Amino acid sequence: MKKKLNIYFTAGIPQLKDTTEILKLIQNSGADYIEIGMPYSDPVADGPVIQKAHEIALKNGMTIAELFGQLKTVKSEMNIPIILMGYINPVLSFGFEEFCKECKESGVSGLIIPDLPPVEFEKNYRSILEKNNLNFIFLVTPETSDERIKYLDSLSSGFLYAVSSSSTTGNEAKEINNEQYLNRLANLGLKNPVMIGFGIKNKSDFDKVTEKADGGIIGTAFVNILLNNDDWTKKGEDFIRSIIN
């Protein structure tokens, strides 16, 4: 079975208006999902590369409203799921209901908000997401108990985001092929596909972590290409194709 590839990047890098070109690049290179990071001044789950991307994007003037405007211009050209990843404070400042309505109108199909507690989600936000046909994706880690993994899986739709290790994104020090953890996830009979993220840098990593999972999420390695290469279009395409082929 073909493993799914989700490519993450931060909206508003390298330049403010590059987001739409990057969306097309990812889709045309053969990825299965696109995950867009909404820039935030305190991205606690992210490592130094993505933190830097958030800083650059904010300096470039990227906002949630600007992002929605850009997404609407390419909505008709996009045919793979687009997921917005971010933190709850800017979403609440925008207005949660209005945010979800804009997501629907912009062609967004799901959200990842790591700092939204599941109890809050169930009580206050789930119905708004359902009304706007939006998936919501929770994260689990190697430290998450089986019982809680099953609970978060029951609340999630689209897929379940399994963090490879208890660290920030792009972390080099942890072993991403945590076999015991990957086996555990594979044997829990979860309703959602499991996508592994954090620390996948190349095809070898991707193949390793997806042996028992449905797919992988690559962020830092791709963001590095966008930030450090003038010719990021060609290099980005080559990188994504190297993972898939």
Side-chain angles (χ1 to χ4, degrees):
M1 188 183 74
K2 179 184 179 288
K3 302 299 181 176
K4 304 281 191 189
L5 175 62
N6 179 1
I7 296 286
Y8 166 97
F9 75 99
T10 309
I13 65 160
Q15 303 299 326
L16 179 64
K17 300 292 185 184
D18 287 335
T19 306
T20 52
E21 193 179 332
I22 297 166
L23 285 168
K24 290 185 227 173
L25 179 165
I26 295 171
Q27 176 170 278
N28 295 342
S29 302
D32 302 284
Y33 298 92
I34 301 171
E35 188 180 320
I36 307 175
M38 297 179 285
Y40 182 46
S41 55
D42 187 24
V44 290
D46 292 300
V49 172
I50 292 176
Q51 282 186 12
K52 184 183 169 193
H54 279 252
E55 281 171 32
I56 292 167
L58 290 170
K59 274 190 196 137
N60 286 345
M62 181 50 82
T63 62
I64 289 175
E66 170 70 23
L67 175 57
F68 283 136
Q70 291 184 11
L71 288 173
K72 283 171 188 168
T73 68
V74 288
K75 179 183 173 183
S76 63
E77 297 170 65
M78 302 308 297
N79 51 39
I80 62 174
I82 293 172
I83 297 146
L84 295 189
M85 195 275 195
Y87 297 87
I88 192 65
N89 279 352
V91 174
L92 292 180
S93 300
F94 191 88
F96 196 89
E97 194 139 4
E98 181 62 21
F99 178 85
C100 290
K101 189 167 145 279
E102 283 289 319
C103 281
K104 187 180 182 181
E105 288 173 8
S106 308
V108 171
S109 63
L111 301 180
I112 301 171
I113 303 178
D115 58 342
L116 176 59
V119 174
E120 284 281 305
F121 165 80
E122 276 196 281
K123 198 168 110 191
N124 300 319
Y125 303 114
R126 189 183 201 167
S127 59
I128 300 169
L129 286 148
E130 286 171 353
K131 190 170 86 178
N132 290 285
N133 299 321
L134 291 172
N135 290 318
F136 194 90
I137 295 141
F138 280 96
L139 282 74
V140 300
T141 76
E143 278 67 48
T144 311
S145 69
D146 287 4
E147 189 184 2
R148 189 159 176 86
I149 290 172
K150 286 180 175 172
Y151 167 59
L152 293 172
D153 176 56
S154 76
L155 296 182
S156 296
S157 53
F159 60 84
L160 188 67
Y161 192 138
V163 177
S164 62
S165 59
S166 297
S167 62
T168 55
T169 55
N171 189 296
E172 298 280 346
K174 301 273 186 171
E175 174 54 63
I176 61 162
N177 189 25
N178 186 334
E179 208 161 326
Q180 192 184 355
Y181 169 55
L182 297 177
N183 283 336
R184 196 155 62 91
L185 289 168
N187 293 325
L188 280 174
L190 303 173
K191 74 169 174 117
N192 288 294
V194 174
M195 301 281 285
I196 310 284
F198 286 38
I200 303 172
K201 300 176 291 299
N202 50 41
K203 181 172 175 59
S204 165
D205 289 345
F206 182 80
D207 289 347
K208 219 186 270 184
V209 300
T210 58
E211 276 173 18
K212 298 205 167 77
D214 298 281
I217 300 162
I218 297 180
T220 298
F222 185 72
V223 169
N224 254 328
I225 291 168
L226 298 178
L227 293 181
N228 297 313
N229 294 280
D230 290 336
D231 186 18
W232 51 262
T233 305
K234 173 83 169 72
K235 285 203 163 59
E237 280 176 10
D238 289 348
F239 174 73
I240 294 170
R241 290 185 202 280
S242 79
I243 305 291
I244 295 165
N245 300 327

